[in-house]
Amino acid sequence: MAAPGRHVGHYIQRNSRFFLNNLEQLWGHRSFGWSPALRQQAAQANKDSTETIVIPRKKTWSKEAVLEALASTVNRDPTAYPYQFQDDPYLSPRNNNEFKMYSLSLESGRAAGKFFVNSNPKFFAKDFAEPHIPCLMPETVSPCLEEVSEEALKERINLRKVTAAVDMYDQLLQAGTAVSMETTHDLLDLICLYCDRNPVQEGGPQTENTVSYPLSKPQDFMKTTWKEGNNAERIFNLLPEKDTRCYSALIRGMVMHGAYAKAFSMYTDLLNNRLTADVHIFNALISATPDVREKYERWELITDLLNQMSQQKVQPNLLTFNSVLKALRTCGTFPKSQALQTLNEMKAVGIAPSLATFNHLLAIFYKPGKHSSRCLDSKDLELAYKVQSLVEVGENWRMLGDSYQSSIYYGRFFNLLCLMEHVDVVLKWYRRLIPSLYYPNPQGLKDLLQALDTDSRLDLLPTIWKDIRSLGHDNKLDVVEEVLTLMAREKHSPEVQESFAQCALDVKSVFDGESGRPSLNWSTSALSHITSLFLRANKTQQAWKMLQLFKSNNRVPPDWLMDDFLSVCRTDGSAQGAVDLVQLSAAFCLPATAQLAKRTVAEFDLTEEQRLCVGGVQKTHSKKIKNKCISLFHYLRTGL
């Protein structure tokens, strides 16, 4: 019964609007008609029935849509190392030097693998990835067309085979076959881009006369020099008709490969042939102005080029304004007004600035010294937070530069936080930045230690020490001694002292070389602080072992440490320990030996044998002191 009833209800609901609409028309003239609410409902039903129903078009999703949606739900994990190192935890960098070395190694291995795959495509023909990942498949590097034809020339251009493309072009000319202007343009672009050389494949060998740019730039582009009469110029001179695109290819190639004066000469030749330049030509010439004019003559040349653009009715693009701003960075100390004028012009023509635009503007308006920082020098924490908020927007982090420059930025930001912020805020940023974005140097860790000291949070020192070890800075003696000094400076609760003693035991293993790394040399302060921490945690046996290390490392314990040791012996009721301490002090020839012996006799219940031992030590020590005084007296008398 439920099913028929449900169908009837659905039929009534679907036809209720039609029923109400016709009923209103039938009874609308009667005075005893519907109530106002019912009339409004009928009017709305009539209105809805007249609207056109628009069926939405089918949405086509890409094959990567699900992966992109999943990726958008995952934020950066501040506790994890950068994603590129997560495949091999052993190669997780702990500092900037390791980051650079591992990054270069990773890139080198990837390039070598790519070269091997491209060199042996038959072994990697099967595609297992779904969706298809083109970069994992071998690239087509060998031409398939062997006949002399324009199609074969296009194939070699697409494969970036510079030498083979030039040879095919020459064969076509020798056969009397005309090459279309479009294909000629592509050939000139290829030759000028790679400076008449075959591009180096990833992982492939480099020639003796080329030097690769850093890894942040494509490996195909090599530091080469434009040669007079190369194939680009030869083919250009063979052309019966030369258009703007041909001139554009050569001018851009000349600027890219250092022939700046020749590029301007080629531009003059273009004007003499009554041709109009394109925006790419002007962009290249503007970027070359610092290399053809002196510092205070460059703006005049840039202005002249911009006026010629206006006369030739060439519309500027983003690269035009960025080239102007980049050139202004080298124009001395007066380009600020020109930079603002350039920015206003960008707004006038409706071109939005890019990250490169802001980078050039910052370089123009702020020229820091070698070690200066605007926010850090002025201790402006609010401004530093504003800068950091800009870094976190979109891909603005790319403006930080390479890993070295990024480390400098975060190091100064963290230094300012340690100086100005409360330690809880400092620790929040510490966990947020390290190790996913920032590898602190020894100075950064010392700044953090000082922040903990300022806000009386020394109880966190054992935790920070674990981070120091994981970051590989446990071999820095100044950092290690700073940690020991802060832990041993004053007494704390028994729980804190116990954690300090465990931390001191771990620090001792660093000096002993138990971690497999070169051990540190024991200093008197390090020995004294570790011994004191053991004593405060009632680890007397380990403290005695530390005293033996003084002797084996030719170090002399300070008097305050011996006094603390004697106080512990008194608390433990160890008379024999006090006697042994007096004997050890006498062995070090400490001036405090007599005082220790006096305290031992007065404060401990000694046996007769122990009293004789302490008395003998006192006499022997007094005799040694007397002999030293006599020797010193004779030395001074002889010297006078």
Side-chain angles (χ1 to χ4, degrees):
M1 294 296 292
R6 181 170 64 250
H7 290 299
V8 170
H10 176 70
Y11 177 82
I12 293 175
Q13 180 181 12
R14 185 181 63 181
N15 294 278
S16 60
R17 292 182 179 177
F18 178 79
F19 174 75
L20 291 173
N21 184 34
N22 287 275
L23 194 62
E24 168 69 11
Q25 293 178 1
L26 179 63
W27 297 93
H29 62 281
R30 296 180 178 268
S31 60
F32 56 89
W34 300 344
S35 64
L38 193 60
R39 291 178 182 274
Q40 183 178 1
Q41 183 179 0
Q44 182 66 29
N46 186 28
K47 178 181 178 182
D48 293 341
S49 64
T50 59
E51 292 181 352
T52 304
I53 299 176
V54 179
I55 301 176
R57 298 180 61 185
K58 181 180 179 181
K59 174 67 175 179
T60 303
W61 299 97
S62 65
K63 294 182 178 181
E64 298 84 10
V66 176
L67 294 176
E68 292 173 353
L70 292 174
S72 65
T73 64
V74 180
N75 295 324
R76 179 181 61 85
D77 183 2
T79 64
Y81 288 92
Y83 178 77
Q84 65 192 101
F85 302 109
Q86 293 182 8
D87 291 338
D88 193 347
Y90 179 77
L91 295 179
S92 297
R94 299 180 298 177
N95 49 57
N96 285 320
N97 291 333
E98 290 186 358
F99 179 88
K100 182 178 180 180
M101 181 175 65
Y102 293 164
S103 299
L104 293 174
S105 301
L106 188 66
E107 186 68 21
S108 177
R110 183 181 290 111
K114 192 70 173 178
F115 176 75
F116 183 82
V117 169
N118 292 336
S119 301
N120 303 273
K122 60 182 179 181
F123 299 121
F124 305 94
K126 197 163 185 180
D127 186 6
F128 295 94
E130 180 61 36
H132 174 67
I133 306 176
C135 64
L136 298 182
M137 301 302 295
E139 298 177 358
T140 304
V141 295
S142 300
C144 299
L145 303 176
E146 298 297 337
E147 71 276 5
V148 179
S149 63
E150 186 170 343
E151 292 300 321
L153 174 59
K154 292 180 179 179
E155 181 188 42
R156 283 154 178 77
I157 293 174
N158 293 331
L159 294 176
R160 300 184 300 174
K161 301 289 185 180
V162 178
T163 304
V166 171
D167 292 341
M168 181 61 66
Y169 181 82
D170 291 338
Q171 293 178 30
L172 288 172
L173 292 185
Q174 292 174 3
T177 304
V179 180
S180 65
M181 205 61 179
E182 182 180 358
T183 304
T184 304
H185 291 159
D186 294 339
L187 178 60
L188 288 175
D189 288 339
L190 178 69
I191 299 173
C192 295
L193 179 63
Y194 295 108
C195 199
D196 203 11
R197 298 173 182 266
N198 286 324
V200 176
Q201 297 184 19
E202 293 187 18
Q206 299 181 9
T207 60
E208 297 180 357
N209 297 327
T210 58
V211 179
S212 62
Y213 287 113
L215 288 174
S216 58
K217 298 182 180 180
Q219 292 185 358
D220 291 334
F221 301 101
M222 313 300 294
K223 188 177 181 180
T224 53
T225 305
W226 186 272
K227 293 184 178 180
E228 187 76 22
N230 59 14
N231 284 317
E233 294 186 10
R234 179 178 63 85
I235 294 174
F236 178 82
N237 294 328
L238 290 175
L239 294 176
E241 295 182 2
K242 306 176 182 65
D243 58 5
T244 300
R245 176 76 183 277
C246 298
Y247 280 97
S248 178
L250 263 73
I251 291 175
R252 284 184 288 168
M254 290 172 180
V255 171
M256 177 180 289
H257 300 291
Y260 309 109
K262 194 171 183 63
F264 278 90
S265 177
M266 183 67 67
Y267 173 66
T268 303
D269 186 50
L270 175 144
L271 297 179
N272 292 335
N273 289 330
R274 298 182 178 180
L275 293 175
T276 301
D278 59 13
V279 67
H280 306 294
I281 292 177
F282 284 109
N283 293 346
L285 294 178
I286 291 173
S287 64
T289 53
D291 299 283
V292 295
R293 288 290 189 275
E294 295 296 331
K295 180 181 295 187
Y296 297 101
E297 299 176 354
R298 294 166 186 169
W299 177 247
E300 182 180 356
L301 179 58
I302 294 173
T303 305
D304 183 45
L305 290 172
L306 293 176
N307 290 332
Q308 293 185 41
M309 286 186 70
S310 177
Q311 294 172 2
Q312 299 179 32
K313 297 182 180 180
V314 177
Q315 188 71 18
N317 57 16
L318 177 61
L319 186 57
T320 307
F321 293 103
N322 284 347
S323 299
V324 172
L325 293 173
K326 185 178 180 180
L328 283 174
R329 296 173 62 171
T330 65
C331 291
T333 58
F334 66 89
K336 295 182 179 180
S337 59
Q338 289 84 351
L340 292 177
Q341 181 181 353
T342 304
L343 189 62
N344 292 332
E345 189 66 24
M346 289 182 68
K347 295 179 181 178
V349 297
I351 296 179
S354 64
L355 288 179
T357 308
F358 292 113
N359 185 31
H360 297 321
L361 289 171
L362 288 173
I364 292 172
F365 283 89
Y366 177 61
K367 297 183 181 297
K370 186 176 182 181
H371 300 290
S372 63
S373 175
R374 181 164 41 183
C375 300
L376 183 59
D377 292 344
S378 60
K379 304 296 186 294
D380 194 338
L381 187 61
E382 183 180 358
L383 179 59
Y385 278 131
K386 289 181 179 180
V387 174
Q388 177 60 23
S389 64
L390 287 175
V391 171
E392 295 174 353
V393 174
E395 295 188 348
N396 288 356
W397 57 269
R398 297 184 182 276
M399 293 183 66
L400 297 179
D402 56 20
S403 61
Y404 175 73
Q405 295 173 326
S406 177
S407 176
I408 293 177
Y409 167 80
Y410 283 115
R412 292 175 177 175
F413 177 61
F414 188 69
N415 184 10
L416 184 59
L417 290 175
C418 292
L419 289 175
M420 306 296 294
E421 270 289 12
H422 188 269
V423 67
D424 292 335
V425 180
V426 174
L427 291 174
K428 184 191 74 172
W429 280 101
Y430 175 77
R431 300 302 178 195
R432 182 176 175 182
L433 298 177
I434 299 170
S436 58
L437 294 175
Y438 171 50
Y439 301 101
N441 55 15
Q443 184 58 47
L445 292 172
K446 291 168 71 174
D447 293 337
L448 176 60
L449 295 175
Q450 291 301 319
L452 294 176
D453 185 22
T454 302
D455 289 332
S456 301
R457 293 301 306 274
L458 297 182
D459 57 296
L460 298 175
L461 286 174
T463 303
I464 301 301
W465 168 251
K466 292 179 181 179
D467 294 340
I468 291 174
R469 293 211 68 175
S470 66
L471 292 169
H473 292 302
D474 53 349
N475 60 345
K476 306 298 190 300
L477 184 60
D478 55 340
V479 176
V480 176
E481 290 195 342
E482 183 71 18
V483 174
L484 292 174
T485 301
L486 292 175
M487 288 195 298
R489 189 179 61 191
E490 54 192 21
K491 293 183 179 181
H492 299 270
S493 64
E495 296 79 9
V496 175
Q497 289 297 164
E498 179 63 27
S499 65
F500 281 1
Q502 295 297 329
C503 181
L505 191 62
D506 191 49
V507 174
K508 179 178 178 295
S509 67
V510 174
F511 283 93
D512 293 338
E514 297 178 4
S515 59
R517 302 174 64 186
S519 59
L520 297 176
N521 294 325
W522 281 107
S523 63
T524 301
S525 62
L527 287 167
S528 302
H529 293 324
I530 293 178
T531 306
S532 177
L533 291 170
F534 286 158
L535 289 175
R536 293 175 185 174
N538 298 322
K539 299 182 181 297
T540 310
Q541 294 299 323
Q542 293 174 343
W544 274 109
K545 293 178 181 179
M546 292 300 300
L547 279 182
Q548 302 303 321
L549 288 177
F550 277 95
K551 190 172 183 180
S552 61
N553 288 277
N554 296 321
R555 297 290 186 265
V556 179
D559 294 343
W560 63 265
L561 181 61
M562 305 302 285
D563 290 335
D564 289 349
F565 230 111
L566 189 61
S567 299
V568 171
C569 291
R570 184 182 59 184
T571 303
D572 296 340
S574 176
Q576 185 58 44
V579 173
D580 294 339
L581 185 65
V582 172
Q583 291 178 332
L584 184 62
S585 177
F588 283 114
C589 296
L590 295 179
T593 302
Q595 182 64 26
L596 290 175
K598 184 178 179 181
R599 284 186 58 190
T600 302
V601 173
E603 299 176 8
F604 290 88
D605 187 12
L606 303 178
T607 63
E608 188 62 28
E609 182 181 356
Q610 290 173 339
R611 286 180 179 277
L612 292 175
C613 181
V614 173
V617 169
Q618 282 182 303
K619 292 179 181 179
T620 304
H621 177 69
S622 299
K623 188 175 181 180
K624 287 182 179 179
I625 295 297
K626 182 178 180 181
N627 292 334
K628 286 185 176 181
C629 291
I630 294 173
S631 299
L632 179 60
F633 175 76
H634 284 296
Y635 172 77
L636 294 175
R637 185 177 182 183
T638 305
L640 292 175

